[in-house]
Amino acid sequence: MTDIASFVAVLPKAELHVHVEGTLEPELAFALAERNGVELPYASVEEMRAAYHFSNLQDFLDVYYAGASVLLERRDFHDLTWAYLERAHADNVRHAEIFFDPQTHTARGVPFGAVVEGIRAALDEARARFGLTSRLILCFLRHLDEAAAFETLEAAMPYREHIAGVGLDSAERGNPPRKFARVFRRAREAGFVPVAHAGEEGPAAYVREALDVLRVTRIDHGNNALDDPRLVAELVARQVPLTVCPLSNLRLRVVDDLASHPLRRMLEQDLLVTVNSDDPAYFGGYVNANYVAVAEALGLGAAELLRLARNSFEAAWLDAGDRGKLIDELAAAAGA
Ligand code: HPA
Ligand code: ZN
């Protein structure tokens, strides 16, 4: 391991932007395809992995939704989530806030309950075995309409206690946050914490709308917010967290190369920025690989890496006692 990799490895951290469907490794996809009698459009694991070349977000989404077709039963969602949690634990992730896309599954006839119960069982096991705590965030697919999002919110109500927040993902351009203003209002009234993907491919104006219209407390990605200095000033003043995903940005061509990634500028401007993996099975690395790749490309040192890990706890939905403990553990790990 490089010096950076071994430093990153010992830091306790939270992961706040990871889609459970995006943790489906080709090996597990093939195993589930066989178990469920589903055909994948690839002859082998190698061919599936070799197909992961994307020119933009939509290119990726086509492959990602096709991969999810192998997920049918409660135990499939359990096995998928468990595989992620083992990887996260190996990366010293102490707390994970995990997105899931119920509409991708209910559209294929999978019951909402099978999805949530399968994921939930794995989260409970990770807490018991690793002390890894977690929250679940239901994402609405923004390329679908408002009525479909309302139906999904209704389906979630019996599982209210298991779902901490709602988010917004899928194709950003042409699907502005305001399309879901009423759904988010209902979700907030029901006690879900609102977040949204914004400013990944969409403009700074979508970040502004996510804040003002959806009243989100955290922005997923947020790269293009940097185009609007007044918006940046507000994000800084309010310390609204940004969940940034460097390898995702690279693989979806949101940035040309990691050396031009905005993370250093975000840190310099005092944005509450965090590092996350997004869809690690598709983008070539779990959370530690994201820290290492961006640190190497931008020349980030120990102080900046420590700041990023600390930010992950500051931005997480933890109670004050747990947050304080994790930040103390981080300081001890960094000093050792
Ligand atoms: N952006 C939008 N939708 C997504 C992403 C992303 O990075 N990953 C999975 N769904
Ligand atoms: Zn995402």
Side-chain angles (χ1 to χ4, degrees), residues 155-242:
M157 285 304 177
Y159 304 93
R160 176 69 202 80
E161 65 183 306
H162 298 308
I163 304 171
V166 294
L168 194 58
D169 68 357
S170 190
E172 188 181 5
R173 286 203 195 112
N175 294 301
R178 64 177 176 278
K179 180 173 167 185
F180 298 95
R182 299 193 304 174
V183 180
F184 269 67
R185 190 200 305 145
R186 173 94 54 92
R188 291 194 313 270
E189 286 165 1
F192 295 99
V193 182
V195 299
H197 284 54
E200 179 187 21
E201 283 193 343
Y206 283 16
V207 177
R208 162 59 62 201
E209 231 179 78
L211 289 173
D212 292 354
V213 179
L214 304 185
R215 314 258 177 104
V216 300
T217 54
R218 194 158 80 194
I219 297 284
D220 297 310
H221 295 294
N223 301 43
N224 293 337
L226 295 190
D227 295 339
D228 178 347
R230 281 189 47 207
L231 175 61
V232 170
E234 182 174 332
L235 292 167
V236 171
R238 292 172 49 190
Q239 287 289 283
V240 176
L242 304 183

Coordinates of all heavy atoms in Angstrom, one line a residue, residues 155-242:
A155 N -46.3 3.7 -0.8 CA -45.8 2.3 -0.5 C -44.8 2.2 0.6 O -44.7 1.2 1.3 CB -45.2 1.7 -1.8
A156 N -44.1 3.4 0.8 CA -43.1 3.4 1.8 C -43.7 3.6 3.2 O -43.0 3.3 4.2 CB -42.1 4.5 1.6
M157 N -44.9 4.1 3.3 CA -45.4 4.5 4.6 C -45.5 3.3 5.7 O -45.1 3.5 6.8 CB -46.8 5.1 4.5 CG -46.8 6.5 3.9 SD -45.7 7.6 4.9 CE -45.8 9.1 4.0
P158 N -45.8 2.1 5.3 CA -45.8 1.0 6.3 C -44.3 0.7 6.8 O -44.2 0.0 7.8 CB -46.3 -0.2 5.5 CG -47.1 0.3 4.3 CD -46.4 1.6 4.0
Y159 N -43.3 1.2 6.1 CA -41.9 0.9 6.4 C -41.3 2.2 6.9 O -40.0 2.2 7.0 CB -41.2 0.3 5.2 CG -41.9 -0.9 4.7 CD1 -42.8 -0.8 3.6 CD2 -41.6 -2.1 5.3 CE1 -43.5 -1.9 3.2 CE2 -42.3 -3.3 4.8 CZ -43.2 -3.1 3.8 OH -43.9 -4.2 3.4
R160 N -42.1 3.1 7.3 CA -41.6 4.4 7.7 C -40.5 4.4 8.7 O -39.5 5.1 8.6 CB -42.8 5.2 8.3 CG -42.6 6.5 8.9 CD -42.3 7.5 7.8 NE -41.6 8.7 8.4 CZ -40.3 8.7 8.7 NH1 -39.5 7.6 8.5 NH2 -39.7 9.8 9.2
E161 N -40.6 3.5 9.7 CA -39.5 3.5 10.8 C -38.2 3.0 10.2 O -37.1 3.2 10.9 CB -40.0 2.6 11.9 CG -40.1 1.1 11.5 CD -40.6 0.2 12.6 OE1 -40.0 0.2 13.6 OE2 -41.6 -0.5 12.3
H162 N -38.2 2.3 9.1 CA -36.9 1.8 8.5 C -36.2 2.8 7.5 O -35.1 2.5 7.0 CB -37.1 0.5 7.8 CG -37.7 -0.6 8.7 ND1 -37.0 -0.9 9.9 CD2 -38.7 -1.4 8.6 CE1 -37.7 -1.9 10.5 NE2 -38.8 -2.2 9.8
I163 N -36.9 3.8 7.2 CA -36.4 4.7 6.1 C -36.2 6.1 6.7 O -37.2 6.8 7.1 CB -37.4 4.7 4.9 CG1 -37.6 3.3 4.4 CG2 -36.8 5.6 3.8 CD1 -38.7 3.2 3.3
A164 N -35.0 6.6 6.7 CA -34.7 7.9 7.4 C -35.0 9.1 6.4 O -35.4 10.1 6.9 CB -33.3 7.9 7.8
G165 N -34.7 8.9 5.1 CA -34.8 10.1 4.3 C -35.3 9.7 2.9 O -35.5 8.5 2.5
V166 N -35.6 10.8 2.1 CA -35.9 10.6 0.7 C -34.9 11.4 -0.1 O -34.4 12.4 0.3 CB -37.3 11.1 0.3 CG1 -38.4 10.2 1.0 CG2 -37.5 12.5 0.7
G167 N -34.6 10.9 -1.3 CA -33.7 11.5 -2.3 C -34.2 11.5 -3.7 O -35.3 11.0 -3.9
L168 N -33.4 12.0 -4.6 CA -33.8 12.2 -6.0 C -32.6 11.8 -6.8 O -31.5 12.4 -6.7 CB -34.2 13.6 -6.2 CG -35.0 14.0 -7.5 CD1 -36.3 13.3 -7.5 CD2 -35.2 15.5 -7.4
D169 N -32.8 10.8 -7.7 CA -31.7 10.4 -8.5 C -32.1 10.1 -9.9 O -33.3 10.4 -10.3 CB -30.9 9.2 -7.9 CG -31.6 7.9 -7.8 OD1 -32.8 7.9 -8.3 OD2 -31.0 6.9 -7.4
S170 N -31.3 9.5 -10.7 CA -31.5 9.2 -12.2 C -31.2 10.4 -13.0 O -30.5 11.3 -12.6 CB -32.9 8.6 -12.4 OG -33.0 8.1 -13.7
A171 N -31.7 10.5 -14.3 CA -31.3 11.4 -15.3 C -31.6 12.9 -14.8 O -32.8 13.3 -14.7 CB -32.0 11.1 -16.6
E172 N -30.6 13.7 -14.6 CA -30.8 15.0 -14.0 C -31.3 16.0 -15.0 O -32.2 16.8 -14.8 CB -29.5 15.5 -13.3 CG -29.7 16.8 -12.5 CD -28.5 17.3 -11.9 OE1 -27.4 16.7 -12.1 OE2 -28.6 18.3 -11.1
R173 N -30.6 16.1 -16.2 CA -31.0 17.2 -17.1 C -32.4 17.0 -17.6 O -32.8 15.9 -18.0 CB -30.0 17.1 -18.4 CG -28.7 17.7 -18.1 CD -28.0 18.1 -19.4 NE -26.6 18.3 -19.1 CZ -25.6 17.5 -19.6 NH1 -26.0 16.5 -20.5 NH2 -24.4 17.7 -19.4
G174 N -33.1 18.1 -17.6 CA -34.5 18.1 -18.0 C -35.5 17.6 -17.0 O -36.7 17.6 -17.2
N175 N -35.0 17.2 -15.8 CA -35.8 16.8 -14.7 C -35.5 17.6 -13.4 O -34.9 17.0 -12.5 CB -35.6 15.3 -14.4 CG -36.1 14.4 -15.6 OD1 -37.3 14.5 -16.0 ND2 -35.2 13.7 -16.2
P176 N -35.9 18.8 -13.4 CA -35.5 19.7 -12.3 C -36.1 19.3 -11.0 O -37.2 18.7 -11.0 CB -35.9 21.1 -12.8 CG -37.1 20.8 -13.7 CD -36.7 19.5 -14.4
P177 N -35.5 19.7 -9.9 CA -36.1 19.4 -8.6 C -37.5 19.8 -8.4 O -38.3 19.1 -7.8 CB -35.2 20.2 -7.6 CG -33.8 20.2 -8.3 CD -34.2 20.4 -9.8
R178 N -37.9 21.0 -9.0 CA -39.3 21.5 -8.8 C -40.4 20.5 -9.3 O -41.5 20.5 -8.8 CB -39.5 22.8 -9.5 CG -39.4 22.8 -11.0 CD -39.7 24.2 -11.6 NE -39.5 24.2 -13.0 CZ -38.3 24.3 -13.6 NH1 -37.2 24.5 -12.9 NH2 -38.2 24.3 -14.9
K179 N -40.0 19.6 -10.2 CA -40.9 18.5 -10.7 C -41.5 17.7 -9.5 O -42.6 17.2 -9.5 CB -40.2 17.6 -11.7 CG -40.9 16.5 -12.3 CD -40.1 15.8 -13.4 CE -40.7 14.5 -13.8 NZ -39.8 13.8 -14.8
F180 N -40.7 17.7 -8.4 CA -41.1 16.8 -7.2 C -41.4 17.7 -6.0 O -41.3 17.2 -4.8 CB -40.0 15.8 -7.0 CG -39.8 14.9 -8.2 CD1 -38.9 15.1 -9.1 CD2 -40.7 13.8 -8.3 CE1 -38.8 14.3 -10.3 CE2 -40.7 13.0 -9.5 CZ -39.7 13.3 -10.4
A181 N -41.7 19.0 -6.2 CA -41.9 19.9 -5.0 C -43.0 19.3 -4.1 O -42.8 19.3 -2.9 CB -42.4 21.2 -5.5
R182 N -44.1 18.8 -4.7 CA -45.2 18.4 -3.8 C -45.0 17.1 -3.1 O -45.3 16.9 -2.0 CB -46.5 18.3 -4.6 CG -46.9 19.7 -5.2 CD -48.3 19.7 -5.8 NE -48.5 18.7 -6.8 CZ -49.7 18.4 -7.3 NH1 -50.8 19.1 -7.0 NH2 -49.8 17.4 -8.3
V183 N -44.3 16.2 -3.8 CA -43.9 14.9 -3.2 C -43.0 15.1 -2.0 O -43.1 14.5 -1.0 CB -43.2 14.0 -4.3 CG1 -42.8 12.7 -3.6 CG2 -44.1 13.8 -5.5
F184 N -42.0 16.0 -2.2 CA -41.0 16.3 -1.2 C -41.8 17.0 0.0 O -41.4 16.7 1.2 CB -39.8 17.1 -1.7 CG -38.7 16.2 -2.1 CD1 -38.8 15.4 -3.2 CD2 -37.5 16.2 -1.4 CE1 -37.8 14.6 -3.7 CE2 -36.4 15.4 -1.8 CZ -36.6 14.6 -2.9
R185 N -42.7 17.8 -0.3 CA -43.4 18.4 0.8 C -44.1 17.4 1.7 O -44.1 17.4 2.9 CB -44.4 19.5 0.4 CG -44.9 20.3 1.6 CD -46.2 21.0 1.4 NE -46.1 21.9 0.3 CZ -47.2 22.2 -0.5 NH1 -48.4 21.6 -0.3 NH2 -47.1 23.0 -1.5
R186 N -44.8 16.5 1.0 CA -45.5 15.4 1.7 C -44.5 14.5 2.5 O -44.8 14.1 3.6 CB -46.3 14.5 0.7 CG -46.9 13.3 1.2 CD -48.4 13.4 1.7 NE -49.2 14.0 0.6 CZ -49.9 13.2 -0.3 NH1 -49.8 11.9 -0.3 NH2 -50.7 13.8 -1.2
A187 N -43.4 14.2 1.9 CA -42.4 13.4 2.5 C -41.8 14.1 3.8 O -41.6 13.5 4.8 CB -41.2 13.1 1.5
R188 N -41.6 15.4 3.7 CA -41.1 16.2 4.8 C -42.1 16.1 6.0 O -41.8 15.9 7.1 CB -40.8 17.6 4.5 CG -39.6 17.8 3.5 CD -39.1 19.3 3.5 NE -40.2 20.2 3.3 CZ -40.6 20.7 2.1 NH1 -40.1 20.2 1.0 NH2 -41.6 21.5 2.1
E189 N -43.4 16.3 5.6 CA -44.4 16.3 6.6 C -44.5 14.9 7.3 O -44.9 14.9 8.5 CB -45.8 16.6 5.9 CG -45.9 18.1 5.6 CD -47.1 18.4 4.6 OE1 -47.8 17.5 4.3 OE2 -47.2 19.6 4.3
A190 N -44.2 13.9 6.6 CA -44.2 12.5 7.1 C -42.9 12.2 7.9 O -42.8 11.1 8.5 CB -44.4 11.5 6.0
G191 N -42.0 13.2 8.0 CA -40.8 13.0 8.8 C -39.6 12.5 8.1 O -38.5 12.2 8.8
F192 N -39.6 12.4 6.8 CA -38.4 11.9 6.0 C -37.5 13.1 5.9 O -37.9 14.2 5.5 CB -38.8 11.4 4.6 CG -39.6 10.1 4.7 CD1 -41.0 10.2 4.5 CD2 -39.0 8.9 4.8 CE1 -41.8 9.0 4.5 CE2 -39.8 7.7 4.9 CZ -41.2 7.8 4.7
V193 N -36.2 12.9 6.0 CA -35.2 14.0 5.8 C -34.9 14.1 4.3 O -34.6 13.0 3.7 CB -33.9 13.7 6.6 CG1 -32.9 14.8 6.3 CG2 -34.2 13.5 8.0
P194 N -35.1 15.3 3.7 CA -34.9 15.4 2.3 C -33.5 15.7 1.8 O -32.8 16.5 2.4 CB -35.8 16.6 1.9 CG -35.8 17.4 3.1 CD -35.6 16.5 4.3
V195 N -33.0 14.9 0.8 CA -31.8 15.2 0.1 C -32.1 15.1 -1.4 O -33.1 14.6 -1.8 CB -30.6 14.2 0.5 CG1 -30.4 14.3 2.0 CG2 -31.0 12.8 0.1
A196 N -31.1 15.5 -2.2 CA -31.3 15.3 -3.7 C -30.0 15.4 -4.4 O -29.1 16.1 -4.0 CB -32.2 16.5 -4.2
H197 N -29.9 14.6 -5.5 CA -28.8 14.7 -6.4 C -29.0 16.0 -7.1 O -30.1 16.3 -7.7 CB -28.8 13.6 -7.4 CG -28.3 12.3 -6.9 ND1 -28.8 11.6 -5.8 CD2 -27.3 11.4 -7.4 CE1 -28.1 10.5 -5.6 NE2 -27.2 10.3 -6.6
A198 N -28.0 16.9 -7.2 CA -28.1 18.1 -8.0 C -26.7 18.6 -8.3 O -25.8 18.5 -7.5 CB -28.9 19.2 -7.1
G199 N -26.6 19.2 -9.5 CA -25.4 19.8 -9.9 C -24.3 18.7 -10.3 O -23.1 19.0 -10.3
E200 N -24.8 17.6 -10.7 CA -23.9 16.5 -11.3 C -23.7 16.8 -12.8 O -22.7 17.2 -13.2 CB -24.4 15.1 -11.0 CG -23.5 14.0 -11.5 CD -24.2 12.6 -11.3 OE1 -25.4 12.5 -11.2 OE2 -23.5 11.6 -11.4
E201 N -24.8 16.6 -13.5 CA -24.8 17.1 -14.9 C -25.7 18.3 -15.1 O -25.6 19.1 -16.0 CB -25.4 16.0 -15.8 CG -24.5 14.9 -16.1 CD -24.9 14.0 -17.2 OE1 -26.1 14.0 -17.6 OE2 -24.1 13.2 -17.7
G202 N -26.6 18.6 -14.1 CA -27.5 19.7 -14.1 C -26.7 21.0 -13.7 O -25.7 20.9 -13.1
P203 N -27.3 22.1 -13.9 CA -26.7 23.4 -13.6 C -26.8 23.8 -12.1 O -27.6 23.2 -11.4 CB -27.5 24.4 -14.4 CG -28.9 23.8 -14.5 CD -28.7 22.3 -14.5
A204 N -26.1 24.8 -11.7 CA -26.1 25.4 -10.4 C -27.6 25.7 -10.0 O -27.9 25.6 -8.8 CB -25.2 26.6 -10.3
A205 N -28.4 26.1 -11.0 CA -29.8 26.5 -10.7 C -30.5 25.3 -10.1 O -31.5 25.5 -9.3 CB -30.5 27.0 -11.9
Y206 N -30.2 24.1 -10.4 CA -30.9 22.9 -9.8 C -30.5 22.7 -8.4 O -31.3 22.2 -7.6 CB -30.5 21.6 -10.6 CG -31.2 21.5 -12.0 CD1 -31.9 22.5 -12.6 CD2 -31.2 20.2 -12.6 CE1 -32.5 22.3 -13.9 CE2 -31.9 20.0 -13.8 CZ -32.5 21.0 -14.4 OH -33.1 20.8 -15.6
V207 N -29.2 23.1 -8.0 CA -28.8 23.0 -6.6 C -29.6 24.1 -5.8 O -30.1 23.8 -4.7 CB -27.3 23.3 -6.5 CG1 -26.9 23.3 -5.0 CG2 -26.5 22.2 -7.3
R208 N -29.7 25.2 -6.4 CA -30.5 26.3 -5.8 C -32.0 25.9 -5.5 O -32.5 26.0 -4.5 CB -30.4 27.5 -6.7 CG -31.4 28.6 -6.5 CD -31.4 29.3 -5.2 NE -30.2 29.9 -4.8 CZ -29.8 30.2 -3.5 NH1 -30.6 29.8 -2.5 NH2 -28.7 30.8 -3.3
E209 N -32.5 25.2 -6.6 CA -33.9 24.8 -6.5 C -34.1 23.6 -5.5 O -35.1 23.6 -4.7 CB -34.3 24.2 -7.9 CG -35.6 24.8 -8.4 CD -35.9 24.2 -9.7 OE1 -36.4 23.1 -9.8 OE2 -35.7 24.9 -10.7
A210 N -33.1 22.8 -5.4 CA -33.2 21.7 -4.4 C -33.2 22.2 -3.0 O -34.0 21.8 -2.1 CB -32.0 20.7 -4.6
L211 N -32.4 23.3 -2.8 CA -32.4 24.0 -1.5 C -33.7 24.7 -1.2 O -34.3 24.5 -0.1 CB -31.3 25.0 -1.4 CG -29.8 24.5 -1.3 CD1 -28.9 25.7 -1.4 CD2 -29.6 23.7 -0.1
D212 N -34.2 25.5 -2.2 CA -35.3 26.4 -1.9 C -36.6 25.8 -2.1 O -37.6 26.1 -1.3 CB -35.2 27.6 -2.9 CG -34.0 28.5 -2.6 OD1 -33.3 28.3 -1.6 OD2 -33.8 29.4 -3.4
V213 N -36.7 24.8 -3.0 CA -38.1 24.2 -3.3 C -38.2 22.9 -2.5 O -39.2 22.6 -1.9 CB -38.3 24.1 -4.8 CG1 -39.6 23.4 -5.1 CG2 -38.1 25.4 -5.5
L214 N -37.2 22.1 -2.6 CA -37.3 20.7 -1.9 C -36.9 20.8 -0.5 O -37.1 19.9 0.3 CB -36.5 19.7 -2.7 CG -36.8 19.5 -4.1 CD1 -35.9 18.3 -4.7 CD2 -38.3 19.2 -4.4
R215 N -36.2 22.0 -0.1 CA -35.7 22.2 1.2 C -34.8 21.1 1.7 O -34.9 20.6 2.9 CB -36.9 22.3 2.3 CG -38.0 23.2 1.8 CD -37.9 24.5 2.5 NE -39.0 25.4 1.9 CZ -40.1 25.7 2.6 NH1 -40.3 25.2 3.8 NH2 -40.9 26.5 2.0
V216 N -33.9 20.7 0.8 CA -33.0 19.6 1.2 C -32.0 20.1 2.2 O -31.6 21.3 2.3 CB -32.2 19.0 -0.1 CG1 -33.2 18.4 -1.1 CG2 -31.3 20.0 -0.7
T217 N -31.5 19.1 3.0 CA -30.5 19.4 4.0 C -29.1 19.0 3.6 O -28.1 19.2 4.3 CB -30.8 18.7 5.3 OG1 -31.0 17.3 5.0 CG2 -32.2 19.2 5.9
R218 N -29.0 18.4 2.4 CA -27.7 17.9 1.9 C -27.8 17.8 0.4 O -28.9 17.5 -0.1 CB -27.5 16.5 2.6 CG -26.1 16.0 2.5 CD -25.8 14.9 3.5 NE -26.3 13.6 3.2 CZ -26.5 12.6 4.0 NH1 -26.2 12.7 5.3 NH2 -27.0 11.5 3.6
I219 N -26.8 18.0 -0.3 CA -26.8 18.0 -1.7 C -25.9 16.8 -2.2 O -24.7 16.7 -1.7 CB -26.2 19.3 -2.4 CG1 -27.1 20.5 -2.0 CG2 -26.0 19.1 -3.9 CD1 -28.4 20.6 -2.8
D220 N -26.4 15.9 -3.0 CA -25.6 14.8 -3.5 C -24.9 15.2 -4.8 O -25.6 15.7 -5.8 CB -26.5 13.6 -3.7 CG -27.1 13.1 -2.4 OD1 -26.2 13.0 -1.4 OD2 -28.3 13.0 -2.2
H221 N -23.6 15.1 -4.8 CA -22.7 15.7 -5.9 C -22.5 17.2 -5.6 O -21.7 17.6 -4.8 CB -23.2 15.4 -7.3 CG -23.2 13.9 -7.7 ND1 -22.0 13.2 -7.7 CD2 -24.2 13.1 -7.9 CE1 -22.3 12.0 -8.1 NE2 -23.6 11.9 -8.2
G222 N -23.2 18.0 -6.4 CA -23.1 19.5 -6.1 C -22.0 20.2 -6.9 O -21.8 21.4 -6.7
N223 N -21.3 19.4 -7.7 CA -20.1 20.0 -8.4 C -20.4 21.3 -9.1 O -19.6 22.3 -8.9 CB -19.6 19.0 -9.5 CG -19.2 17.7 -9.0 OD1 -19.9 17.1 -8.2 ND2 -18.1 17.2 -9.4
N224 N -21.5 21.4 -9.8 CA -21.8 22.6 -10.6 C -22.2 23.8 -9.8 O -22.4 24.9 -10.3 CB -22.8 22.3 -11.7 CG -22.2 21.4 -12.8 OD1 -21.0 21.3 -12.9 ND2 -23.0 20.7 -13.5
A225 N -22.4 23.6 -8.5 CA -22.7 24.7 -7.6 C -21.6 25.8 -7.6 O -21.8 27.0 -7.4 CB -22.9 24.3 -6.1
L226 N -20.4 25.3 -7.9 CA -19.2 26.2 -8.0 C -19.4 27.3 -9.0 O -18.7 28.3 -9.0 CB -17.9 25.4 -8.2 CG -17.5 24.4 -7.0 CD1 -16.1 23.9 -7.3 CD2 -17.7 25.1 -5.7
D227 N -20.3 27.1 -10.0 CA -20.5 28.1 -11.0 C -21.2 29.4 -10.5 O -21.3 30.4 -11.2 CB -21.3 27.6 -12.2 CG -20.6 26.4 -12.9 OD1 -19.4 26.4 -12.8 OD2 -21.3 25.6 -13.6
D228 N -21.7 29.3 -9.3 CA -22.5 30.4 -8.8 C -22.0 30.8 -7.4 O -22.3 30.2 -6.4 CB -24.0 29.9 -8.6 CG -24.9 31.0 -8.1 OD1 -24.4 32.0 -7.5 OD2 -26.1 30.8 -8.1
P229 N -21.2 31.9 -7.4 CA -20.5 32.3 -6.1 C -21.5 32.6 -5.0 O -21.2 32.3 -3.8 CB -19.8 33.5 -6.5 CG -19.6 33.5 -8.0 CD -20.8 32.7 -8.5
R230 N -22.7 33.1 -5.3 CA -23.6 33.4 -4.2 C -24.2 32.2 -3.6 O -24.4 32.1 -2.4 CB -24.8 34.3 -4.8 CG -24.4 35.8 -4.9 CD -25.6 36.7 -5.2 NE -26.7 36.4 -4.4 CZ -28.0 36.7 -4.7 NH1 -28.3 37.1 -5.9 NH2 -29.0 36.4 -3.9
L231 N -24.4 31.2 -4.5 CA -24.9 29.9 -4.0 C -23.8 29.2 -3.1 O -24.1 28.7 -2.0 CB -25.2 29.0 -5.2 CG -25.6 27.5 -4.9 CD1 -26.9 27.5 -4.1 CD2 -25.8 26.8 -6.3
V232 N -22.6 29.3 -3.5 CA -21.5 28.8 -2.7 C -21.4 29.4 -1.4 O -21.3 28.8 -0.3 CB -20.1 28.9 -3.5 CG1 -19.0 28.5 -2.5 CG2 -20.1 28.0 -4.7
A233 N -21.6 30.8 -1.4 CA -21.5 31.5 -0.1 C -22.6 31.0 0.9 O -22.4 30.8 2.1 CB -21.7 33.0 -0.3
E234 N -23.8 30.7 0.3 CA -24.9 30.2 1.1 C -24.6 28.8 1.6 O -24.9 28.5 2.8 CB -26.2 30.3 0.4 CG -27.4 29.8 1.2 CD -28.7 30.0 0.5 OE1 -28.8 30.9 -0.3 OE2 -29.6 29.3 0.9
L235 N -24.1 27.9 0.8 CA -23.8 26.6 1.2 C -22.7 26.6 2.3 O -22.8 25.7 3.2 CB -23.3 25.8 0.0 CG -24.3 25.5 -1.1 CD1 -23.6 24.9 -2.4 CD2 -25.4 24.5 -0.7
V236 N -21.8 27.5 2.2 CA -20.8 27.6 3.2 C -21.4 28.1 4.5 O -21.2 27.6 5.6 CB -19.6 28.5 2.7 CG1 -18.6 28.8 3.9 CG2 -18.9 27.9 1.6
A237 N -22.1 29.2 4.4 CA -22.7 29.8 5.6 C -23.6 28.9 6.4 O -23.5 28.8 7.6 CB -23.5 31.1 5.2
R238 N -24.4 28.1 5.6 CA -25.3 27.1 6.3 C -24.6 25.8 6.5 O -25.3 24.9 7.1 CB -26.5 27.0 5.4 CG -27.4 28.2 5.3 CD -28.5 28.1 4.3 NE -29.3 26.8 4.5 CZ -30.2 26.4 3.6 NH1 -30.5 27.1 2.5 NH2 -30.8 25.3 3.8
Q239 N -23.4 25.6 6.0 CA -22.7 24.3 6.1 C -23.6 23.2 5.6 O -23.8 22.2 6.3 CB -22.2 24.1 7.5 CG -21.0 25.0 7.9 CD -19.7 24.6 7.1 OE1 -19.0 23.6 7.4 NE2 -19.4 25.3 6.0
V240 N -24.1 23.4 4.4 CA -24.9 22.3 3.8 C -23.9 21.3 3.2 O -23.1 21.7 2.4 CB -25.8 22.9 2.6 CG1 -26.5 21.7 1.9 CG2 -26.7 23.9 3.1
P241 N -24.0 20.0 3.6 CA -23.0 19.1 3.1 C -23.2 18.8 1.6 O -24.3 18.7 1.1 CB -23.3 17.8 4.0 CG -24.1 18.3 5.1 CD -24.9 19.5 4.7
L242 N -22.0 18.5 1.0 CA -22.0 18.0 -0.4 C -21.4 16.6 -0.3 O -20.3 16.4 0.2 CB -21.1 18.9 -1.3 CG -21.4 20.4 -1.4 CD1 -20.5 21.0 -2.4 CD2 -22.9 20.6 -1.8

